[in-house]
Amino acid sequence: MKTPAPTTDPVMGRSPGPAAEAGEPQVAGDHQPAALNLDSAEFAYRRGSLLTLLGAVLIVSVITLSVQASWEVTLADQALLAALAVKNAALFWWLWRSPRALRTVGLIELAIQSVTVVLRLYLTLHSPPGYHGLGGFAPWMIFSYLVAFLVLPGRQAATVTGVQFMAMLAVIAGYSLNPQIDPAMKAGLGNSLLQTVLMHATFIAYLALQQRLLGQFVNAVLHARQEATLAQLDVLTGLPNRRQLSSWLDEWLTRTCPEPGEPLSVILFDLDHFKRVNDTYGHDVGDEVLRHVANILRRSVRQGDRVGRWGGEEFLILVPGDAQAAQVVADRLRQNLRRTPHLRAGVQTVSCGVAQTHAGERTSDLLRRADEAMYAAKNAGRDTVSIAV
């Protein structure tokens, strides 16, 4: 027997809708266990980090402009700081209002930063006097590397940062080999340039390694979540198994009901004459029939209902609502089964027992009443619904 790949929402026990298939976030009820959506979490992390960087540079620019009267800040630097503040304010506002613009905003910021770093380095080295280092902008030269690794995949980010680093090396090499530059000035800047190159190389290597480790961590978490999910699924039908259903039931009954003032009902049903199917067609066809019923079950329940395989040919449905609402769900299931016969085993019928929760009732008592109602349905001729008292 082949184990089918789960095609259901393991939490709801239903086939994912168009929104889920498109990768859009799904809205779950209060009782749905929190699902770790790593894509959303990683996106929020990257967007929040870029917003923080843009906001920090904006604040630094404003502070520097506010104290320029006390410091010797050239008009060119004042204009550059003002432009930087406007640019960061605009990008911050854009990304804040339009989260989907993360990549666009990041690439714009990356392009501006990379070009500015290389150009500013060239102008600094070729604008005497240069004995006092690379100026106040030197610590911010690594800013573009952070942006690259936030908005690009690891290899692309490494390539882009590598190109910027090589451009900087070309500028420094051109400066060092230029015979027209004062040797004393070269000597004065030699250590600063060396430390800058080493720091940039170290920072790029660190970010690349961190990105790789982050990817390994995410894969490990995804694998662990997949293993945990499979432990709560029935391998034959892909529906939640008895362990998951019991957990939901205990949670719901502990909290009394799904919503304050709303009752909870369960539908316990099994396939009529299923042993006859196995005896006549074999267990492989019996497994096909169970999967056939599971697929129809997914299409028969409402949004918010939860379904699973209880064991053998028995299935359980958790219905937020009273016994009458559960009976409607059970009747819809029976009708859909009659309309959709199995290709080999023919029409399948089910006997359903419905039980509505009582105040303070234990899980075992609720299931016992549903089981008694299911057998009452069988004794009434099968292919029917019986409601427990």
Side-chain angles (χ1 to χ4, degrees), residues 11 28-37 225 248 251 306:
V11 177
D30 291 340
H31 289 263
Q32 178 169 325
L36 177 61
N37 188 330
R225 173 167 171 75
W248 283 334
E251 179 189 353
R306 297 182 179 180

Side-chain angles (χ1 to χ4, degrees), residues 89-159:
L91 292 179
F92 184 94
W93 179 252
W94 185 5
L95 183 56
W96 179 267
R97 295 297 301 270
S98 303
R100 292 179 179 273
L102 170 63
R103 186 176 178 86
T104 302
V105 171
L107 290 177
I108 292 174
E109 176 65 17
L110 177 60
I112 294 174
Q113 285 290 332
S114 297
V115 172
T116 301
V117 165
V118 176
L119 181 60
R120 186 67 186 271
L121 177 63
Y122 178 85
L123 293 177
T124 299
L125 293 178
H126 292 81
S127 300
Y131 297 99
H132 305 294
L134 299 178
F137 90 103
W140 297 96
M141 293 169 67
I142 61 173
F143 181 83
S144 57
Y145 303 149
L146 294 172
V147 176
F149 280 94
L150 281 176
V151 301
L152 293 174
R155 290 185 178 181
Q156 294 181 19
T159 300

Side-chain angles (χ1 to χ4, degrees), residues 286-306:
D287 290 345
E288 291 178 8
V289 168
L290 290 174
R291 288 193 288 267
H292 171 75
V293 172
N295 290 333
I296 295 175
L297 174 57
R298 294 184 185 99
R299 301 196 302 265
S300 301
V301 295
R302 310 166 305 172
Q303 182 71 29
D305 297 338
R306 297 182 179 180

